[in-house]
Amino acid sequence: MDFTFTKEQEMIREMVRDFANKEIAPIAEEIDRTERFPIESFKRMGELGLLGIPFPEEYGGSGGDTISYILAVEEIGKACGSTGLSYAAAVSLGASPIYYFGTEEQKEKYLVPLAKGESLGAFGLTEPNAGSDAGGTRTKAVLSSDHYLINGEKCWITNASFARTVIVTALNGTDDRGKKKISAFIVPTDCNGLTIRSEYEKMGVRGSNTTEIVLEDVKVPKENLLGDPSKGFGQFLYTLDGGRISIAALAVGIGKAAYEAALAYSKERKQFGKYIGSFQAIQFKLADMAMELELAQNMVYKAAWLKDEGKPFKREAAFAKLFASEAAMRICNQAIQIHGGYGYMREYHVERFLRDAKLLEIGEGTSEIQRMVIAREIGCPK
Amino acid sequence: MNIFVILKRTFDTEEKIQIENSEIVDDGAEFIINPYDEYAIEEAIQLREEHGGEVTLITVGDEESEKQLRTGLAMGADKAVLIENEEIEDGDPFSTEALLGAYFQEKEIDIILGGNVAVDGGSGQVGPRLAEKLGINHVSSIVKIEIENGKATIERDVEGDQVTVEVSLPILVTAQQGLNEPRYPSLPGIMKAKKKPLEELDLDDLDLEEEDVEGKTKTVDRYLPPEKKAGKILEGDLDDQVKELVSLLKSEAKVI
């Protein structure tokens, strides 16, 4: 066993940390307060090649691996949860499916601008009545001669206001056995009939762009169908598995930010004539936080490593996402507790960490869905 | 242009420094390119972008220094040289000068850039010593440089003020904060850095014997500065405060 990162992985992590400290962390509070999407940060991330880390150079990427990408998510998330979420969604959900399932033409046309950061990726799966329960999907695509006509509604879609194309899942007829088929389509956002609104008022990750997409008789060319239609929805589960590792990494990042803030505060704040960090009550909290972070991190890195090795990682990705997001919630909660009244104030940032972390127990499959995935993987009876 | 950058791997001094038995404990410490050397790398790349040529990075250090060289390559330098000093006991600025001097002996040099000072040892000697050894001009603490027709017009920092000097090439300059804003190594840059040439040299390769490079100085002790005590605010009538201040400066602080 070897737990060391390669030199490239370390260099990437250091570069991203440096960049995130200097250019992302300073605006984190402001974008949360004003619900502003930091498009300037994404321009810089594009220039530095961060949006294309796990894609080959021929598609405008940087030719890095999943571990490097995961380290970048962690560092960006540590500086700002909102930016981290939009970053993870852009790469894991927006760009990755085109890389995995796209034709050569689709990659040239749609992946290259995403990898270079000229456009942001978005993945429209969730609907008012369907998310992890894909069977509830209502959005429908109907083939007529050389194009599909798509109608439906998507909700909570990250980044769509800043995307040139969104990937949208829709019912696409039935298979031989009469079962409903779900396919994915690359939809240019300037299509007639496509409306993108971002009017949600969110608890956390308020600087990320979250949208509602309405499709009314949206016409997309036949060749915009993504992936093999005969394989149906199953192929996209691979995308979601990958996305879960990045959400887990984001949880580690936010958890680390909260832990480091709490540890530093415990060395500054004096009560009863002593630093509060010298009290066992505080020490035990900090010890648990440090331990949970390390465990979460190990699980996240292992899942990413399995993916890089081309081995199955579904179960480990679910472990990582479930454990890291729940650990992040516990850590952020205790970080506020250690800060006492100050922690409840915006100025001390830890309350933002908690609000941001809560999303991670919900987005890209709730904790309950992760447990269902794990139960299936370990062979529980149906 | 043949552009060289001498750089050093140092621990990040923004972190807490621990000393045990007069030795700095560096396990667990973060290591970085000496920040002043980063300015030198950035300036070297900018000079190449303007005048063409090649940027070579050189460091004296152990195997671990490869990472800092690779980071410099990822920023955009063309090649790197690692001169190993692991066999050298009690290395000091003289040792580094001797190793670098041997390396540069046969080289065609237009400019060598380095940092003004390394944030760990803080001697600030290696640059000027090397220039002296090579018999070339040197300008330290530079904040601006322009090269034209074999001449460099340089602004150097003098205790907060600036002096402009004109020097003919070849030269050695050391960088001061304010020279530029170092770029981040880009992701494609990091991936490409893996394939750029990195040469490793030891004493034999440089035709040196151990005694040629042995340090000239001896470290007697190493300790942290005393911890800063909390300040005292005087109260009461202004005249009394002045009297008290003077007496405290005499009796407690012992500065007058």
Side-chain angles (χ1 to χ4, degrees):
Chain A
M1 269 200 121
D2 185 356
F3 280 95
T4 49
F5 292 115
T6 65
K7 283 209 173 64
E8 286 72 34
Q9 288 161 351
E10 271 183 38
M11 278 161 65
I12 291 171
R13 160 183 266 199
E14 274 161 33
M15 181 275 271
V16 180
R17 180 181 295 165
D18 214 20
F19 164 73
N21 283 343
K22 280 189 199 138
E23 299 186 28
I24 291 179
I27 58 167
E29 200 278 329
E30 179 252 318
I31 66 164
D32 172 73
R33 186 166 31 84
T34 59
E35 299 185 275
R36 181 178 75 83
F37 182 76
I39 185 69
E40 73 276 21
S41 301
F42 284 83
K43 286 211 173 103
R44 286 289 283 136
M45 284 154 74
E47 286 162 15
L48 291 170
L50 296 182
L51 288 155
I53 295 184
F55 311 118
E57 280 173 55
E58 53 190 298
Y59 302 123
S62 307
D65 52 14
T66 309
I67 294 181
S68 302
Y69 161 60
I70 283 308
L71 292 173
V73 173
E74 188 187 313
E75 291 299 336
I76 291 170
K78 191 178 162 204
C80 172
S82 295
T83 310
L85 179 75
S86 281
Y87 172 53
V91 177
S92 288
L93 300 184
S96 293
I98 303 177
Y99 174 54
Y100 298 141
F101 311 116
T103 61
E104 205 52 43
E105 292 75 39
Q106 287 172 339
K107 287 183 198 173
E108 291 287 337
K109 197 166 168 191
Y110 302 112
L111 178 58
V112 171
L114 293 176
K116 287 186 173 170
E118 292 162 2
S119 164
L120 281 183
F123 189 68
L125 166 72
T126 311
E127 298 186 5
N129 293 302
S132 297
D133 174 15
T137 302
R138 301 258 175 88
T139 299
K140 212 177 200 168
V142 179
L143 182 64
S144 77
S145 70
D146 63 345
H147 64 266
Y148 285 96
L149 213 55
I150 307 177
N151 277 285
E153 203 182 317
K154 298 286 173 181
C155 59
W156 308 325
I157 308 308
T158 309
N159 294 343
S161 304
F162 298 88
R164 279 190 215 157
T165 54
V166 290
I167 299 169
V168 166
T169 53
L171 297 172
N172 181 21
T174 48
D175 64 15
D176 309 342
R177 290 174 294 166
K179 223 180 136 199
K180 282 191 231 167
K181 268 192 337 194
I182 296 173
S183 298
F185 301 87
I186 302 171
V187 182
T189 49
D190 57 4
C191 277
N192 282 333
L194 185 91
T195 317
I196 298 170
R197 280 194 293 261
S198 68
E199 290 164 1
Y200 296 114
E201 290 186 43
K202 298 182 302 244
M203 171 183 175
V205 290
R206 288 158 56 88
S208 70
N209 170 253
T210 313
T211 67
E212 187 182 8
I213 302 177
V214 181
L215 303 107
E216 287 168 315
D217 288 333
V218 171
K219 231 170 130 178
V220 299
K222 217 168 111 182
E223 59 269 20
N224 280 28
L225 176 72
L226 184 62
D228 181 348
S230 68
K231 284 188 188 154
F233 188 69
Q235 57 191 317
F236 297 104
L237 293 177
Y238 182 79
T239 307
L240 298 183
D241 288 336
R244 280 168 188 159
I245 309 177
S246 70
I247 293 296
L250 183 54
V252 169
I254 296 173
K256 263 193 194 168
Y259 159 72
E260 286 178 12
L263 182 64
Y265 187 76
S266 76
K267 294 177 185 173
E268 285 163 17
R269 170 75 167 168
K270 269 188 174 168
Q271 287 286 274
F272 308 104
K274 281 179 158 178
Y275 291 114
I276 61 167
S278 67
F279 302 137
Q280 213 170 44
I282 305 294
Q283 289 177 345
F284 282 11
K285 285 186 201 296
L286 289 165
D288 284 347
M289 288 158 99
M291 172 188 70
E292 289 206 274
L293 272 175
E294 183 75 19
L295 296 177
Q297 213 170 331
N298 281 344
M299 196 65 242
V300 176
Y301 298 160
K302 183 176 176 190
W305 175 80
L306 286 169
K307 186 165 185 281
D308 280 335
E309 294 288 304
K311 294 190 165 117
F313 63 94
K314 184 188 261 305
R315 188 176 66 165
E316 287 77 7
F319 281 161
K321 199 243 179 210
L322 175 60
F323 183 76
S325 61
E326 294 193 349
M329 271 305 279
R330 287 190 289 271
I331 290 164
C332 292
N333 188 29
Q334 291 305 331
I336 296 178
Q337 195 66 23
I338 290 171
H339 280 75
Y342 292 105
Y344 203 65
M345 303 295 131
R346 261 184 178 278
E347 198 192 336
Y348 281 75
H349 304 292
V350 282
E351 62 84 34
R352 184 180 82 237
F353 300 155
L354 180 91
R355 288 188 284 107
D356 288 350
K358 182 63 202 172
L359 173 80
L360 311 179
E361 291 184 322
I362 299 169
E364 298 196 31
T366 58
S367 291
E368 291 67 31
I369 291 294
Q370 306 307 321
R371 289 187 168 87
M372 281 168 59
V373 170
I374 296 164
R376 213 177 301 140
E377 285 289 305
I378 59 174
C380 291
K382 280 189 183 169
Chain B
M1 277 216 312
N2 288 324
I3 308 164
F4 296 89
V5 181
I6 48 174
L7 65 99
K8 186 176 187 185
R9 164 189 155 94
T10 64
F11 49 80
D12 192 345
T13 47
E14 280 180 24
E15 287 188 52
K16 204 175 169 208
I17 295 167
Q18 283 178 38
I19 293 183
E20 259 171 44
N21 304 325
S22 297
E23 290 293 331
I24 293 166
V25 187
D26 59 15
D27 5 316
E30 292 281 334
F31 285 87
I32 54 171
I33 298 174
N34 176 43
Y36 295 98
D37 301 349
E38 248 184 348
Y39 301 129
I41 300 172
E42 175 62 39
E43 201 61 28
I45 297 168
Q46 288 185 18
L47 285 173
R48 185 199 57 199
E49 282 165 357
E50 203 187 325
H51 304 281
E54 200 173 52
V55 175
T56 307
L57 309 175
I58 304 110
T59 195
V60 172
D62 59 16
E63 284 278 335
E64 298 292 317
S65 307
E66 187 190 327
K67 200 173 126 206
Q68 280 63 39
L69 288 174
R70 293 273 177 214
T71 304
L73 292 171
M75 285 170 76
D78 300 288
K79 53 187 194 175
V81 179
L82 169 58
I83 302 175
E84 284 185 49
N85 66 352
E86 270 163 305
E87 324 156 48
I88 301 164
E89 277 177 47
D90 300 320
D92 69 1
F94 169 79
S95 318
T96 309
E97 171 214 318
L99 290 163
L100 290 173
Y103 169 79
F104 278 110
Q105 220 165 34
E106 305 285 309
K107 296 279 181 288
E108 291 250 344
I109 305 160
D110 288 304
I111 182 168
I112 303 175
L113 299 103
N116 180 35
V117 69
V119 296
D120 55 357
S123 80
Q125 287 193 30
V126 173
R129 288 186 87 121
L130 177 63
E132 202 59 32
K133 181 155 187 129
L134 299 174
I136 62 174
N137 291 323
H138 97 264
V139 183
S140 60
S141 290
I142 72 162
V143 290
K144 196 176 172 193
I145 179 165
E146 259 161 37
I147 294 179
E148 220 175 317
N149 304 326
K151 272 198 177 128
T153 310
I154 297 172
E155 275 179 32
R156 65 183 298 259
D157 175 55
V158 190
E159 303 288 329
D161 276 324
Q162 252 107 62
V163 177
T164 306
V165 286
E166 208 181 81
V167 203
S168 53
L169 302 188
I171 45 166
L172 183 147
V173 296
T174 66
Q176 172 64 297
Q177 191 171 8
L179 178 62
N180 53 44
E181 189 56 50
R183 68 194 68 193
Y184 299 105
S186 74
L187 253 296
I190 291 173
M191 302 314 290
K192 272 184 211 128
K194 200 162 40 172
K195 294 168 209 144
K196 289 183 179 173
L198 193 150
E199 190 183 2
E200 290 186 27
L201 302 174
D202 59 18
L203 288 180
D204 285 346
D205 299 318
L206 295 171
D207 250 339
L208 289 169
E209 299 299 326
E210 267 175 62
E211 49 273 22
D212 299 334
V213 294
E214 223 168 76
K216 300 276 189 205
T217 53
K218 206 170 175 181
T219 302
V220 181
D221 194 9
R222 205 179 259 126
Y223 53 91
L224 289 171
E227 238 179 273
K228 209 176 156 190
K229 289 192 191 118
K232 198 183 261 182
I233 296 173
L234 304 178
E235 275 169 23
D237 189 56
L238 194 62
D239 282 345
D240 295 340
Q241 281 191 45
V242 173
K243 273 181 206 148
E244 199 184 344
L245 177 65
V246 172
S247 88
L248 284 173
L249 288 174
K250 271 188 185 155
S251 62
E252 244 180 56
K254 296 187 174 119
V255 290
I256 49 174

